[in-house]
Amino acid sequence: MYPSAMRLTVQGIMFPEFTADDILTNAQAHLVYFSERKQDVEGVLFTVATHFAGASPADTPMMNKRHMSFLAQEKFMKRIIEQIEKDGNAEDVIEKLKEIQNILIRATAPGGRGGFMALSLPSNETPEDYISIFENEWNMCYEKYAEHNGIATKESTELANRSPFPIDYASRFPALEKPLFIHVPVQSLHVSKSVFVFALDTPSCPTGKRSFDDELSDLIALDYYALWMLSEFLKRMNGPVGNAVRSNGYAYGGFLYILWKSKWIALEIDYASDIVKAVDAVKQLFLDMQNNWDSYLSETDVSLARSTVMYKTTVNQSTPMEMLSQTVFNSVHGFSSAEEHNRWCSTHIAAVGMSDMRRVFDKYVCRFIDDDYPMLRLLVTPVGVAIPEELGPYKQMTLEEISATYETE
């Protein structure tokens, strides 16, 4: 079964049929999807947040998430449709697709950039056997691919059961000197959302600079796990943030969360009927927590937050699909096995105490109530929502204005 599945997968990569009709249908389907995203406040919020918080320096490639956003892709798909409908064929587009295909296929050849694959196997199986099967299928199909495309060199792929990671992810958050206030009114929306984002300068995984055991012994990711536990406490049902905004009817809820890959920490206010009052309510909550910490968090709350985080790290490995995803995560972030990842998580989670959660609250969360801290403060609202000056010097921009900036990138 596995050899057949691998053969079909490799054949799909190397011998696809690119036709004008298929490309046109696919591009039109994407435009429908983009239209739907514009009517979804969540989709608009994070697309715009990534645009501003994922800005790339002039000498670096554009962040992948920005490439994939509908702000960039909508105009791209429209150009493809226009070209096919105007010329009646898609030869130029097909040639570009073949170039991309060739780059992907030949990445594993000698001199190529390389790549990696993740296998999720039962513990009694030998990875080398499965690697060998994939390697044989790939090389067999590649020989036909090379012959068909006039590639003289009979390159071959060599796979090894090893990891070239961890990858040292660098935050793409712009070097702001002051807060960036953006207000995006959208005609199709009926509720508001806000997200405040800044770069998180604390490690979450092994860095590879020292041995795994040394970094684990020093608990280098303690702040990360303390923040995770604090976020679970704050956003739980009937938790402090929820009570501040939901019980007063300002918004559905509020959430503090960490985007590990982007190295961002974000505070989101969800589905707000009055975004101005909701933002102010969260600010007043954090100010009160500074002065009355013990009235909000008890040792029981710490234990519940620890159990929640431990449960989430465990449930991520409860099905084959989730285990595969976790395997990729482990490899990219420098863990040699699921067991090593679990030891990293459990050791850090067990070490977090009340004082650690208070420390990260003061160090990181209180930045959200510092009016001068350089972060992205983004509001996405229906058209007609007025933002008072006391909330900040918000610059109003439409989706069309933001999208237009991609023409020069």
Side-chain angles (χ1 to χ4, degrees), residues 192-275:
S192 302
K193 268 200 174 194
S194 73
V195 66
F196 299 163
V197 184
F198 61 85
L200 182 61
D201 48 354
T202 186
S204 60
C205 299
T207 66
K209 297 175 181 177
R210 294 186 293 150
S211 73
F212 174 87
D213 288 333
D214 284 349
E215 292 192 331
L216 180 58
S217 177
D218 288 345
L219 297 172
I220 67 167
L222 188 63
D223 276 9
Y224 172 83
Y225 283 92
L227 263 174
W228 189 357
M229 286 173 55
L230 180 61
S231 73
E232 294 296 339
F233 163 71
L234 290 172
K235 71 182 183 183
R236 74 185 186 190
M237 187 67 69
N238 297 321
V241 176
N243 285 338
V245 298
R246 189 171 183 175
S247 61
N248 292 307
Y250 302 148
Y252 179 79
F255 309 93
L256 176 72
Y257 51 88
I258 304 166
L259 295 98
W260 56 267
K261 188 174 180 180
S262 303
K263 289 192 172 181
W264 300 339
I265 181 171
L267 173 66
E268 177 186 341
I269 295 175
D270 210 17
Y271 297 100
S273 56
D274 192 327
I275 192 64

Coordinates of all heavy atoms in Angstrom, one line a residue, residues 192-275:
S192 N -16.7 44.1 14.7 CA -15.3 44.6 14.7 C -14.4 43.6 15.4 O -14.9 42.8 16.2 CB -15.2 45.9 15.4 OG -16.1 46.9 14.8
K193 N -13.2 43.7 15.0 CA -12.1 42.9 15.7 C -10.9 43.8 15.9 O -10.7 44.7 15.1 CB -11.7 41.7 14.9 CG -12.5 40.4 15.3 CD -11.7 39.2 14.9 CE -12.4 37.9 15.4 NZ -11.6 36.8 15.3
S194 N -10.1 43.5 16.9 CA -8.8 44.3 17.0 C -7.8 43.3 17.4 O -8.0 42.2 17.9 CB -8.9 45.3 18.1 OG -8.9 44.7 19.4
V195 N -6.5 43.6 17.0 CA -5.4 42.8 17.4 C -4.2 43.7 17.6 O -4.0 44.6 16.8 CB -5.0 41.7 16.4 CG1 -4.6 42.3 15.0 CG2 -4.0 40.7 16.9
F196 N -3.6 43.6 18.7 CA -2.3 44.3 19.0 C -1.2 43.3 19.0 O -1.3 42.3 19.7 CB -2.4 45.0 20.4 CG -3.6 46.0 20.5 CD1 -4.0 46.4 21.8 CD2 -4.2 46.5 19.4 CE1 -5.0 47.3 21.9 CE2 -5.2 47.4 19.5 CZ -5.6 47.8 20.8
V197 N -0.1 43.6 18.3 CA 0.9 42.6 18.1 C 2.3 43.3 18.3 O 2.5 44.4 17.8 CB 0.9 42.1 16.6 CG1 1.9 41.0 16.4 CG2 -0.5 41.5 16.3
F198 N 3.2 42.5 18.9 CA 4.6 43.0 18.9 C 5.5 41.7 18.9 O 5.0 40.6 19.1 CB 4.9 43.9 20.1 CG 4.7 43.2 21.5 CD1 5.7 42.4 22.1 CD2 3.5 43.5 22.2 CE1 5.5 41.9 23.4 CE2 3.3 42.9 23.5 CZ 4.3 42.1 24.0
A199 N 6.8 41.9 18.6 CA 7.7 40.8 18.5 C 8.0 40.2 19.9 O 8.2 41.0 20.8 CB 9.0 41.3 17.8
L200 N 8.0 38.9 20.0 CA 8.3 38.2 21.2 C 9.7 37.8 21.3 O 10.1 36.9 20.5 CB 7.3 37.0 21.4 CG 7.5 36.2 22.7 CD1 7.1 37.1 23.9 CD2 6.6 35.0 22.6
D201 N 10.5 38.3 22.2 CA 11.9 38.1 22.2 C 12.3 37.1 23.3 O 13.1 37.3 24.2 CB 12.7 39.4 22.4 CG 12.1 40.2 23.6 OD1 11.0 39.8 24.1 OD2 12.7 41.2 23.9
T202 N 11.7 35.9 23.2 CA 12.1 34.8 24.1 C 12.0 33.5 23.4 O 11.1 33.3 22.5 CB 11.2 34.8 25.3 OG1 11.6 33.8 26.3 CG2 9.7 34.4 24.9
P203 N 13.0 32.6 23.6 CA 13.0 31.3 22.9 C 11.9 30.3 23.3 O 11.4 30.4 24.5 CB 14.4 30.7 23.2 CG 14.7 31.3 24.5 CD 14.1 32.7 24.5
S204 N 11.4 29.5 22.4 CA 10.4 28.5 22.8 C 10.9 27.1 22.6 O 10.3 26.1 23.1 CB 9.2 28.7 21.9 OG 9.5 28.6 20.5
C205 N 12.0 26.9 21.8 CA 12.5 25.6 21.4 C 14.1 25.6 21.6 O 14.7 26.7 21.8 CB 12.2 25.3 20.0 SG 10.4 25.2 19.7
P206 N 14.7 24.4 21.4 CA 16.2 24.4 21.5 C 16.7 25.3 20.4 O 16.2 25.4 19.3 CB 16.5 23.0 21.2 CG 15.3 22.2 21.6 CD 14.1 23.1 21.3
T207 N 17.8 26.0 20.7 CA 18.4 26.9 19.7 C 19.5 26.2 18.9 O 19.9 26.7 17.8 CB 19.1 28.1 20.5 OG1 20.2 27.6 21.2 CG2 18.1 28.8 21.4
G208 N 20.0 25.1 19.3 CA 21.1 24.4 18.6 C 22.5 25.0 18.9 O 23.5 24.5 18.5
K209 N 22.5 26.0 19.7 CA 23.8 26.7 20.1 C 24.5 25.9 21.2 O 25.8 26.0 21.3 CB 23.6 28.1 20.5 CG 23.0 29.0 19.4 CD 22.6 30.4 19.9 CE 22.0 31.2 18.8 NZ 21.6 32.6 19.2
R210 N 23.8 25.2 22.0 CA 24.4 24.3 23.0 C 23.6 23.0 23.0 O 22.7 22.8 22.2 CB 24.2 24.9 24.4 CG 25.0 26.2 24.6 CD 24.9 26.7 26.0 NE 23.5 27.1 26.4 CZ 23.0 27.0 27.6 NH1 23.7 26.4 28.6 NH2 21.8 27.4 27.8
S211 N 24.1 22.0 23.8 CA 23.4 20.7 23.7 C 22.0 20.8 24.2 O 21.6 21.7 25.0 CB 24.2 19.7 24.6 OG 24.0 20.0 26.0
F212 N 21.2 19.9 23.8 CA 19.8 19.9 24.2 C 19.7 19.8 25.7 O 18.9 20.6 26.3 CB 19.1 18.7 23.6 CG 17.7 18.4 24.1 CD1 16.6 19.1 23.4 CD2 17.4 17.6 25.1 CE1 15.3 18.9 23.9 CE2 16.1 17.4 25.6 CZ 15.0 18.1 24.9
D213 N 20.4 18.9 26.4 CA 20.3 18.8 27.8 C 20.7 20.0 28.6 O 20.1 20.3 29.6 CB 21.2 17.6 28.3 CG 20.6 16.2 27.9 OD1 19.3 16.2 27.7 OD2 21.3 15.3 27.7
D214 N 21.7 20.7 28.1 CA 22.2 21.9 28.7 C 21.1 23.0 28.7 O 20.8 23.7 29.7 CB 23.5 22.4 28.1 CG 24.7 21.7 28.5 OD1 24.6 20.8 29.5 OD2 25.8 21.8 27.9
E215 N 20.5 23.2 27.5 CA 19.5 24.2 27.4 C 18.2 23.8 28.2 O 17.6 24.7 28.7 CB 19.1 24.4 25.9 CG 20.3 25.1 25.1 CD 19.9 25.5 23.7 OE1 18.9 25.0 23.1 OE2 20.5 26.5 23.2
L216 N 17.9 22.5 28.2 CA 16.8 22.1 29.0 C 17.0 22.3 30.5 O 16.1 22.8 31.2 CB 16.4 20.6 28.7 CG 15.2 20.1 29.5 CD1 14.0 20.8 29.2 CD2 15.0 18.6 29.1
S217 N 18.2 22.0 30.9 CA 18.6 22.2 32.3 C 18.5 23.7 32.7 O 18.1 24.0 33.9 CB 20.0 21.7 32.5 OG 20.4 21.9 33.9
D218 N 18.8 24.6 31.8 CA 18.7 26.0 32.1 C 17.3 26.6 31.9 O 17.1 27.8 32.2 CB 19.7 26.8 31.2 CG 21.2 26.5 31.7 OD1 21.4 26.0 32.8 OD2 22.1 26.8 30.9
L219 N 16.4 25.7 31.4 CA 15.0 26.2 31.2 C 15.0 27.5 30.4 O 14.3 28.5 30.8 CB 14.3 26.4 32.6 CG 14.1 25.2 33.5 CD1 13.6 25.5 34.8 CD2 13.2 24.1 32.8
I220 N 15.6 27.4 29.2 CA 15.7 28.6 28.4 C 14.4 29.1 27.9 O 14.2 30.3 27.5 CB 16.7 28.5 27.2 CG1 16.1 27.4 26.2 CG2 18.1 28.1 27.7 CD1 16.9 27.4 24.9
A221 N 13.3 28.2 27.9 CA 12.0 28.6 27.3 C 11.0 28.8 28.5 O 9.8 28.8 28.2 CB 11.5 27.5 26.4
L222 N 11.5 29.1 29.7 CA 10.6 29.2 30.8 C 9.6 30.4 30.6 O 8.4 30.2 30.9 CB 11.3 29.4 32.1 CG 10.5 29.4 33.4 CD1 9.9 28.0 33.6 CD2 11.4 29.7 34.6
D223 N 10.1 31.5 30.1 CA 9.2 32.6 29.8 C 8.1 32.3 28.8 O 6.9 32.7 29.0 CB 9.9 33.8 29.4 CG 10.6 34.6 30.5 OD1 10.5 34.1 31.6 OD2 11.1 35.7 30.3
Y224 N 8.5 31.5 27.8 CA 7.5 31.1 26.8 C 6.4 30.3 27.4 O 5.2 30.6 27.1 CB 8.2 30.3 25.7 CG 7.3 29.7 24.6 CD1 6.8 30.5 23.6 CD2 6.8 28.4 24.8 CE1 5.9 29.9 22.6 CE2 6.0 27.8 23.8 CZ 5.5 28.6 22.8 OH 4.7 28.0 21.9
Y225 N 6.7 29.3 28.2 CA 5.7 28.4 28.7 C 4.9 29.2 29.8 O 3.7 28.9 30.0 CB 6.3 27.2 29.3 CG 6.7 26.2 28.1 CD1 7.9 26.2 27.5 CD2 5.7 25.3 27.6 CE1 8.2 25.4 26.5 CE2 6.0 24.5 26.6 CZ 7.2 24.5 26.0 OH 7.5 23.7 24.9
A226 N 5.5 30.1 30.6 CA 4.8 30.9 31.5 C 3.8 31.8 30.8 O 2.6 31.9 31.3 CB 5.8 31.7 32.4
L227 N 4.2 32.3 29.7 CA 3.2 33.1 28.9 C 2.1 32.3 28.4 O 0.9 32.7 28.3 CB 4.0 33.8 27.7 CG 4.5 35.2 27.9 CD1 5.3 35.7 26.7 CD2 3.3 36.2 28.1
W228 N 2.4 31.1 27.9 CA 1.4 30.2 27.4 C 0.4 29.9 28.5 O -0.9 30.0 28.3 CB 2.0 28.9 26.9 CG 1.1 28.0 26.1 CD1 -0.2 28.2 25.9 CD2 1.4 26.8 25.5 NE1 -0.8 27.1 25.2 CE2 0.2 26.3 24.9 CE3 2.6 26.1 25.3 CZ2 0.2 25.0 24.2 CZ3 2.6 24.9 24.6 CH2 1.4 24.4 24.1
M229 N 0.9 29.5 29.7 CA -0.1 29.3 30.8 C -0.9 30.5 31.2 O -2.1 30.4 31.4 CB 0.7 28.7 32.0 CG 1.2 27.3 31.8 SD 2.3 26.7 33.1 CE 1.4 27.0 34.6
L230 N -0.2 31.6 31.2 CA -1.0 32.9 31.5 C -2.0 33.2 30.5 O -3.2 33.6 30.8 CB 0.0 34.0 31.6 CG -0.6 35.4 31.9 CD1 -1.3 35.4 33.3 CD2 0.5 36.5 31.9
S231 N -1.7 32.9 29.2 CA -2.7 33.2 28.2 C -3.9 32.3 28.3 O -5.1 32.7 28.1 CB -2.1 33.0 26.8 OG -1.8 31.7 26.5
E232 N -3.7 31.0 28.7 CA -4.8 30.1 28.9 C -5.7 30.5 30.1 O -6.9 30.4 30.0 CB -4.3 28.7 29.2 CG -3.5 28.0 28.0 CD -4.4 27.8 26.8 OE1 -5.7 27.7 27.0 OE2 -3.9 27.7 25.7
F233 N -5.0 31.0 31.1 CA -5.8 31.6 32.2 C -6.6 32.8 31.8 O -7.8 32.9 32.2 CB -4.9 31.9 33.4 CG -5.5 32.8 34.4 CD1 -6.5 32.3 35.3 CD2 -5.1 34.2 34.5 CE1 -7.0 33.2 36.2 CE2 -5.7 35.0 35.4 CZ -6.7 34.5 36.3
L234 N -6.0 33.7 31.1 CA -6.7 34.9 30.7 C -7.9 34.7 29.8 O -8.9 35.4 29.9 CB -5.8 35.9 30.1 CG -4.7 36.5 31.0 CD1 -3.7 37.3 30.2 CD2 -5.4 37.4 32.1
K235 N -7.8 33.7 28.9 CA -8.8 33.6 27.8 C -9.8 32.5 28.1 O -10.7 32.3 27.3 CB -8.1 33.3 26.5 CG -7.5 31.9 26.4 CD -6.8 31.8 25.0 CE -6.2 30.4 24.8 NZ -5.5 30.3 23.5
R236 N -9.7 31.8 29.3 CA -10.6 30.7 29.5 C -12.1 31.2 29.7 O -12.3 32.4 30.0 CB -10.2 29.9 30.8 CG -10.4 30.7 32.1 CD -9.9 29.9 33.3 NE -10.3 30.6 34.5 CZ -9.8 30.3 35.7 NH1 -8.8 29.3 35.8 NH2 -10.2 30.9 36.8
M237 N -13.0 30.3 29.6 CA -14.4 30.7 29.8 C -14.6 31.3 31.2 O -14.1 30.8 32.2 CB -15.3 29.5 29.6 CG -16.8 29.8 29.7 SD -17.3 30.8 28.2 CE -17.1 29.6 26.9
N238 N -15.2 32.5 31.3 CA -15.4 33.2 32.5 C -14.1 33.7 33.1 O -14.0 33.9 34.3 CB -16.2 32.4 33.5 CG -17.6 32.1 33.1 OD1 -18.2 33.0 32.5 ND2 -18.1 30.9 33.3
G239 N -13.0 33.8 32.3 CA -11.7 34.3 32.7 C -11.7 35.8 32.7 O -12.7 36.4 32.3
P240 N -10.6 36.4 33.2 CA -10.6 37.9 33.4 C -10.9 38.7 32.1 O -11.7 39.6 32.1 CB -9.2 38.1 33.8 CG -8.8 36.8 34.5 CD -9.4 35.7 33.7
V241 N -10.3 38.3 31.0 CA -10.5 39.0 29.7 C -11.9 38.9 29.2 O -12.6 39.8 28.8 CB -9.5 38.6 28.6 CG1 -9.8 39.4 27.3 CG2 -8.1 39.0 29.1
G242 N -12.4 37.6 29.3 CA -13.8 37.4 28.8 C -14.8 38.1 29.7 O -15.7 38.7 29.1
N243 N -14.6 38.1 31.0 CA -15.5 38.9 31.8 C -15.5 40.4 31.6 O -16.5 41.0 31.6 CB -15.2 38.6 33.3 CG -15.6 37.2 33.8 OD1 -16.5 36.6 33.2 ND2 -15.0 36.7 34.8
A244 N -14.3 40.9 31.3 CA -14.1 42.3 31.1 C -14.9 42.8 29.8 O -15.5 43.9 29.8 CB -12.6 42.7 30.9
V245 N -14.9 42.0 28.8 CA -15.6 42.5 27.5 C -16.9 41.8 27.3 O -17.8 42.4 26.7 CB -14.6 42.2 26.3 CG1 -13.4 43.1 26.5 CG2 -14.3 40.8 26.1
R246 N -17.1 40.5 27.6 CA -18.3 39.8 27.3 C -19.4 40.1 28.3 O -20.6 40.3 27.8 CB -18.0 38.3 27.2 CG -19.2 37.5 26.7 CD -18.8 36.1 26.4 NE -19.8 35.3 25.8 CZ -19.7 34.0 25.4 NH1 -18.5 33.4 25.6 NH2 -20.7 33.4 24.9
S247 N -19.1 40.1 29.5 CA -20.2 40.4 30.5 C -20.8 41.7 30.4 O -21.9 42.0 30.8 CB -19.6 40.2 31.9 OG -18.6 41.1 32.2
N248 N -20.0 42.7 29.8 CA -20.6 44.0 29.6 C -21.2 44.2 28.2 O -21.6 45.3 27.9 CB -19.4 45.0 29.8 CG -19.0 45.1 31.2 OD1 -19.8 45.3 32.1 ND2 -17.7 45.0 31.5
G249 N -21.1 43.2 27.4 CA -21.7 43.2 26.1 C -20.9 44.0 25.0 O -21.4 44.3 24.0
Y250 N -19.6 44.2 25.3 CA -18.8 44.9 24.3 C -18.3 44.0 23.2 O -18.1 44.5 22.1 CB -17.6 45.5 25.1 CG -17.9 46.4 26.2 CD1 -17.0 46.5 27.3 CD2 -19.0 47.2 26.2 CE1 -17.3 47.4 28.4 CE2 -19.3 48.1 27.2 CZ -18.5 48.1 28.3 OH -18.8 49.0 29.4
A251 N -18.0 42.7 23.5 CA -17.4 41.8 22.5 C -17.7 40.4 23.0 O -18.0 40.1 24.1 CB -15.9 42.1 22.4
Y252 N -17.5 39.5 22.0 CA -17.7 38.1 22.3 C -16.6 37.6 23.3 O -16.9 36.7 24.2 CB -17.6 37.2 21.0 CG -17.8 35.8 21.3 CD1 -19.1 35.2 21.5 CD2 -16.7 34.9 21.3 CE1 -19.2 33.9 21.7 CE2 -16.9 33.5 21.5 CZ -18.1 33.0 21.7 OH -18.3 31.7 21.9
G253 N -15.4 38.0 23.1 CA -14.3 37.5 24.0 C -13.0 38.2 23.7 O -12.9 39.1 22.8
G254 N -12.0 37.9 24.4 CA -10.6 38.4 24.2 C -9.6 37.3 24.4 O -9.8 36.4 25.3
F255 N -8.5 37.4 23.7 CA -7.6 36.3 23.7 C -6.1 36.8 23.7 O -5.8 37.7 22.9 CB -7.8 35.3 22.5 CG -9.2 34.9 22.4 CD1 -10.1 35.6 21.6 CD2 -9.6 33.8 23.1 CE1 -11.4 35.1 21.4 CE2 -10.9 33.3 22.9 CZ -11.8 34.0 22.1
L256 N -5.3 36.2 24.5 CA -3.8 36.5 24.4 C -3.2 35.2 23.9 O -3.4 34.1 24.4 CB -3.3 36.8 25.8 CG -1.8 37.0 25.9 CD1 -1.4 38.3 25.2 CD2 -1.4 37.0 27.4
Y257 N -2.4 35.3 22.8 CA -1.8 34.1 22.3 C -0.5 34.4 21.7 O -0.1 35.6 21.4 CB -2.7 33.4 21.3 CG -3.3 34.3 20.2 CD1 -2.6 34.4 19.0 CD2 -4.5 34.9 20.4 CE1 -3.1 35.2 18.0 CE2 -5.0 35.7 19.4 CZ -4.3 35.9 18.2 OH -4.8 36.7 17.2
I258 N 0.3 33.3 21.5 CA 1.7 33.4 20.9 C 1.7 32.8 19.6 O 1.2 31.6 19.4 CB 2.7 32.7 21.8 CG1 2.6 33.3 23.3 CG2 4.1 32.9 21.3 CD1 3.3 32.5 24.3
L259 N 2.2 33.5 18.6 CA 2.4 32.9 17.2 C 3.9 32.5 17.2 O 4.7 33.3 16.9 CB 2.0 33.9 16.1 CG 0.5 34.3 16.1 CD1 0.3 35.6 16.8 CD2 0.0 34.4 14.7
W260 N 4.1 31.2 17.4 CA 5.5 30.7 17.6 C 6.4 30.9 16.4 O 7.5 31.2 16.5 CB 5.5 29.3 18.1 CG 4.8 28.3 17.2 CD1 3.5 27.9 17.3 CD2 5.4 27.7 16.1 NE1 3.2 27.1 16.2 CE2 4.3 26.9 15.5 CE3 6.6 27.6 15.5 CZ2 4.5 26.1 14.3 CZ3 6.8 26.8 14.3 CH2 5.7 26.1 13.8
K261 N 5.8 30.6 15.2 CA 6.6 30.7 14.0 C 7.0 32.1 13.7 O 8.1 32.4 13.2 CB 5.9 30.0 12.9 CG 6.8 29.9 11.6 CD 6.1 29.1 10.5 CE 6.9 28.9 9.3 NZ 6.3 28.1 8.2
S262 N 6.1 33.0 13.8 CA 6.3 34.4 13.5 C 7.1 35.2 14.6 O 7.5 36.3 14.4 CB 5.0 35.2 13.2 OG 4.3 34.5 12.2
K263 N 7.1 34.5 15.8 CA 7.7 35.2 17.0 C 7.0 36.4 17.3 O 7.6 37.5 17.6 CB 9.2 35.4 16.8 CG 10.1 34.2 16.8 CD 11.5 34.5 16.9 CE 12.3 33.2 17.1 NZ 13.8 33.5 17.2
W264 N 5.7 36.3 17.4 CA 4.8 37.5 17.8 C 4.0 37.0 19.0 O 3.7 35.9 19.2 CB 3.8 37.8 16.7 CG 4.4 38.3 15.4 CD1 5.7 38.7 15.1 CD2 3.8 38.2 14.1 NE1 5.9 39.0 13.8 CE2 4.7 38.7 13.1 CE3 2.5 37.9 13.6 CZ2 4.4 38.8 11.8 CZ3 2.2 38.0 12.3 CH2 3.2 38.5 11.4
I265 N 3.6 38.0 19.8 CA 2.6 37.8 20.8 C 1.5 38.8 20.5 O 1.7 39.9 20.0 CB 3.2 38.1 22.2 CG1 2.1 37.9 23.3 CG2 3.8 39.5 22.4 CD1 2.6 37.9 24.7
A266 N 0.2 38.3 20.6 CA -0.9 39.1 20.1 C -2.0 39.1 21.2 O -2.3 38.1 21.9 CB -1.4 38.5 18.8
L267 N -2.7 40.2 21.2 CA -3.9 40.4 22.1 C -5.0 40.7 21.1 O -5.0 41.7 20.4 CB -3.7 41.5 23.1 CG -5.0 41.9 23.9 CD1 -5.4 40.8 24.8 CD2 -4.7 43.2 24.7
E268 N -6.0 39.8 21.1 CA -7.1 40.0 20.1 C -8.4 40.2 20.9 O -8.7 39.5 21.9 CB -7.3 38.7 19.3 CG -8.4 38.7 18.3 CD -8.6 37.4 17.6 OE1 -7.6 36.6 17.5 OE2 -9.7 37.2 17.1
I269 N -9.3 41.1 20.4 CA -10.6 41.2 20.9 C -11.6 40.8 19.8 O -11.5 41.3 18.7 CB -10.9 42.7 21.3 CG1 -10.0 43.1 22.5 CG2 -12.4 42.9 21.7 CD1 -10.1 44.5 22.9
D270 N -12.5 39.9 20.2 CA -13.2 39.1 19.2 C -14.6 39.5 19.0 O -15.4 39.7 20.0 CB -13.2 37.6 19.7 CG -13.2 36.6 18.6 OD1 -12.9 37.0 17.4 OD2 -13.5 35.5 18.9
Y271 N -15.0 39.7 17.7 CA -16.4 40.0 17.4 C -17.1 41.1 18.3 O -18.0 40.8 19.1 CB -17.2 38.7 17.4 CG -16.8 37.7 16.4 CD1 -15.9 36.7 16.8 CD2 -17.1 37.8 15.1 CE1 -15.5 35.7 15.9 CE2 -16.6 36.9 14.1 CZ -15.8 35.9 14.5 OH -15.3 35.0 13.6
A272 N -16.6 42.3 18.2 CA -17.0 43.4 19.1 C -18.1 44.1 18.5 O -18.2 44.5 17.3 CB -15.8 44.3 19.4
S273 N -19.1 44.4 19.4 CA -20.2 45.3 19.0 C -19.8 46.7 19.3 O -20.3 47.7 18.7 CB -21.5 44.9 19.7 OG -21.3 45.0 21.1
D274 N -18.9 46.9 20.3 CA -18.4 48.3 20.6 C -16.9 48.1 20.8 O -16.4 47.9 22.0 CB -19.1 48.8 21.8 CG -18.8 50.3 22.0 OD1 -17.7 50.8 21.7 OD2 -19.7 51.1 22.5
I275 N -16.1 48.2 19.8 CA -14.7 47.9 19.8 C -14.0 49.0 20.7 O -13.0 48.6 21.4 CB -14.1 47.9 18.4 CG1 -12.6 47.3 18.5 CG2 -14.1 49.3 17.8 CD1 -12.5 45.9 18.9

